[in-house]
Amino acid sequence: MLPLNINYSFNYGIILLILFIFLIISGLLSVIFYNNNLDLSFFNLILNSFNSFFYFLLRFIHNNSANLFFLFIFFHIFKSWFYTQSKNFVVLILGLIIFFLACAVAFFGYCLPMGQMSF
């Protein structure tokens, strides 16, 4: 028998896992199309996006998965604040460290060489 306080908010962890798998797969597939030439990196990014529907769909999936990933991280953190006890302070600190590391990875994944930003 399940406890009475379990609700749909306990699914945030598995949703984060699925989104993380989508992010890893779409990120690795987008590396195939990346060009490391400093002069052509942004140009090839836009050119591949317009010439190939698969690449546009890949960027769309990766972008939306990243946005949903951070949305569900917020939901997961707020759920843990409301449903856990104060004795789990170490778990809360580790979760916040993971959150700030995810923010750093997302920021540095958004930057292209020489200060160019991908849109």
Side-chain angles (χ1 to χ4, degrees):
M1 184 129 189
L2 291 174
L4 295 176
N5 63 351
I6 289 184
N7 54 22
Y8 290 109
S9 67
F10 283 85
N11 292 327
Y12 293 147
I14 196 70
I15 292 171
L16 283 171
L17 177 67
I18 292 168
L19 288 173
F20 186 69
I21 290 171
F22 280 154
L23 282 170
I24 294 295
I25 290 172
S26 62
L28 289 176
L29 288 175
S30 66
V31 167
I32 295 170
F33 294 102
Y34 181 70
N35 186 4
N36 62 355
N37 187 355
L38 292 177
D39 297 329
L40 299 176
S41 62
F42 187 72
F43 177 73
N44 284 337
L45 181 78
I46 299 301
L47 185 67
N48 286 334
S49 180
F50 286 126
N51 288 340
S52 171
F53 179 72
F54 170 72
Y55 190 68
F56 175 76
L57 182 66
L58 185 67
R59 287 185 62 203
F60 180 78
I61 289 172
H62 190 76
N63 187 11
N64 288 327
S65 296
N67 291 333
L68 286 174
F69 185 76
F70 279 99
L71 180 72
F72 280 104
I73 281 180
F74 285 131
F75 289 160
H76 187 68
I77 289 172
F78 290 139
K79 189 248 337 169
S80 67
W81 281 345
F82 289 122
Y83 284 103
T84 58
Q85 298 173 356
S86 61
K87 66 181 179 181
N88 292 334
F89 187 70
V90 175
V91 175
L92 176 66
I93 296 300
L94 286 175
L96 290 174
I97 289 171
I98 290 171
F99 170 70
F100 288 124
L101 284 176
C103 288
V105 167
F107 175 74
F108 290 122
Y110 185 71
C111 294
L112 290 173
M114 301 299 288
Q116 295 176 341
M117 300 295 279
S118 64
F119 297 102

